[in-house]
Amino acid sequence: MEKKHFELKKVPMYISGLDQILCDGIPEGRTTVIEGGPGCGKSVMAMEFIYRSALAKQPGIIVNFEEPENGVRENCLTLGWDLEKLEAENLVFFHGFRAKPISHTGGDFDLGAFKSIIDNQAKNMKARRIVLDAIDVLLRNFMDRSRQEEMLYDIHSWLKESGYTAIITVKAWQRGRIAAVDPEIVDYLTDCLIFLDRRVKNQVTTRRLRVEKYRGSNFLTNEHPFVIGENGILVMPVSQTRFRDRGLGERLGSGCNELDLALGGGYRRYACILIAGSTGAGKSSIAALFAKTRCDKSERVLYISFEESEPEIVNNMKSVSIDLEPHVAEGRLLFSTCMPESRGAEEHLIGAIQTMESFNPEHVIVDAISACQRMGTERAAFDFVIRLVSYCKEHNVTVMLLNQTTNTETLEELSGTDVSSTIDSIIRLSLVERSGEINRILTVMKSRGSQHSNQFREFHLTSEGISLKEVYVGSGKVLTGVERQIQEELDSRKLMRVERKKQRLLAEMQVLQSELDNMDLDMKLSQNGTKQRTEMRT
């Protein structure tokens, strides 16, 4: 007989990304522990659970052992969470408990009275969700570890028997400090354990989350970055990204006909495009031209800049006849600019995704991914770029990445962050210094699904715009600029000499042909005269 599988009932946390990590939420009617060091976001996560559950008409109870009630309410208001309004609607009950600090094995905490207060209130509200915030502060009153264990066990048994879906927050001290609560006790009692961590590396602070255990359920085991944003916690699990839902789309004009020809017809919609080259090579100009061209077609473009402000970009592009101002004014082009050092890679990523969700662009430009290493580490830069590209592909958004390079020997060095496998088209811009001048060269290194050109092209930025022309090959080498002009002049003179010689030979041939024609005529006349004399004799 085939056994039936028991399916664990779950309650959503209503926190973006976290429910995916937990495979649909925390266990219903069981206890979940959120553990972590100071300032890592334990209380915020627990409060958001109660707040968003209440918005979904699922009442909840908050018990705080650490902070005054008004302080907690004010803290929640900074995130836009109006607990007082929900309290007035009987969707949230807030209970602040203060136990007197003592140093002996007993205590003045009456668990029976505490349970009675909560049970009565839960019955009145029909609440099945409860948060015990900073329970380690309560247990700190009981210096005897056996008394702590007994208290925790009693609380856990009460929560389980009452059928509450409970979240308990507890501090996990680090850097050699002794934890207020024995971790083994917590690990034993909890059904789901979420560990939060806050790290500082290269002067950049990052918060990360991992699920340590989850009885009776699958969950994503990796570490996941998260941020505390303006409206609460945002998590971006790697598993939330996937390959694009569809293949590459139709051709998109770049704004330059010669570049479209080199690409085999233009960029592809939904593609990831890399423009790589050294500083001053013209990367931003190509990106701005693409932005203007798509906005001209009434499409929306998000321009993320880590190197220049919006006014700088708009004014600079006017020098090459790319006017972005009208599209900004009409809301088709949106700039998002900030210094990479201003926050960590996770905050940058989630900020970019939030902007995309609200603006809903068809195309995204990132200028430049080489600046992403200033977010902290090379790994942080990789995480930001690969997740942003994955998000764009998942949502069918064309993404153009700009990268400042010094060594352009391999595709990996062109991409700068080892994301070359995700890139569909690569354009390399080079600066050639020769004969006292610098000239620009454009090469299409890769254009997936296209018969693109493999030739070098001279790339010009002028007051009239962007233009390309095939690089001139003379004397066995590629020539640009003045050298090209000199060689073209020499070749022109050579052609002129050849043409003059040709014309002279043609003239001589005409003279010879005329002489031949005269000789042929004389011969025919002579033959006719001889024939007439013969006929007269006869």
Side-chain angles (χ1 to χ4, degrees), residues 423-479:
I423 295 170
D424 301 296
S425 297
I426 299 178
I427 296 175
R428 184 181 72 179
L429 299 176
S430 308
L431 294 177
V432 177
E433 184 177 358
R434 195 181 293 154
S435 300
E437 65 176 9
I438 296 176
N439 295 291
R440 297 178 176 90
I441 300 295
L442 182 146
T443 314
V444 179
M445 301 288 292
K446 174 184 179 181
S447 187
R448 187 171 285 156
S450 303
Q451 291 287 341
H452 64 88
S453 171
N454 62 353
Q455 294 179 332
F456 288 7
R457 279 172 168 74
E458 196 167 352
F459 175 51
H460 292 278
L461 295 175
T462 69
S463 59
E464 296 179 356
I466 292 175
S467 63
L468 289 177
K469 56 182 178 180
E470 293 185 4
V471 170
Y472 194 78
V473 179
S475 303
K477 61 181 179 180
V478 173
L479 301 178

Side-chain angles (χ1 to χ4, degrees), residues 44 79 93 151 177 188 220 376 432 508:
V44 175
L79 297 168
F93 174 73
M151 180 64 68
R177 298 181 65 175
Y188 169 74
L220 305 185
V432 177
E508 290 176 356

Side-chain angles (χ1 to χ4, degrees), residues 69 82 164 167 294 307 373 437 462 482 507 517 524:
E69 295 179 29
D82 191 349
Y164 292 124
I167 290 181
R294 300 329 305 164
E307 298 188 332
Q373 294 189 14
E437 65 176 9
T462 69
V482 171
D517 290 343
K524 287 181 178 180

Side-chain angles (χ1 to χ4, degrees), residues 408-428:
T408 56
E409 295 298 322
T410 67
L411 294 182
E412 286 73 18
E413 290 163 335
L414 284 172
S415 65
T417 52
D418 283 339
V419 296
S420 56
S421 61
T422 67
I423 295 170
D424 301 296
S425 297
I426 299 178
I427 296 175
R428 184 181 72 179

Side-chain angles (χ1 to χ4, degrees), residues 353-388:
I353 290 174
Q354 285 182 314
T355 303
M356 290 174 65
E357 288 176 345
S358 60
F359 184 58
N360 194 26
E362 284 92 348
H363 315 282
V364 171
I365 296 170
V366 183
D367 185 7
I369 60 173
S370 48
C372 294
Q373 294 189 14
R374 289 154 51 195
M375 295 176 185
T377 63
E378 290 186 10
R379 178 67 193 187
F382 172 81
D383 285 346
F384 173 83
V385 175
I386 195 69
R387 292 185 183 191
L388 182 62

Side-chain angles (χ1 to χ4, degrees), residues 323-349:
D323 191 2
L324 301 175
E325 215 161 23
H327 296 303
V328 174
E330 292 174 11
R332 287 190 291 268
L333 176 60
L334 177 66
F335 282 91
S336 176
T337 62
C338 62
M339 296 289 288
E341 300 88 347
S342 63
R343 46 188 173 171
E346 290 79 15
E347 292 175 287
H348 278 294
L349 175 65

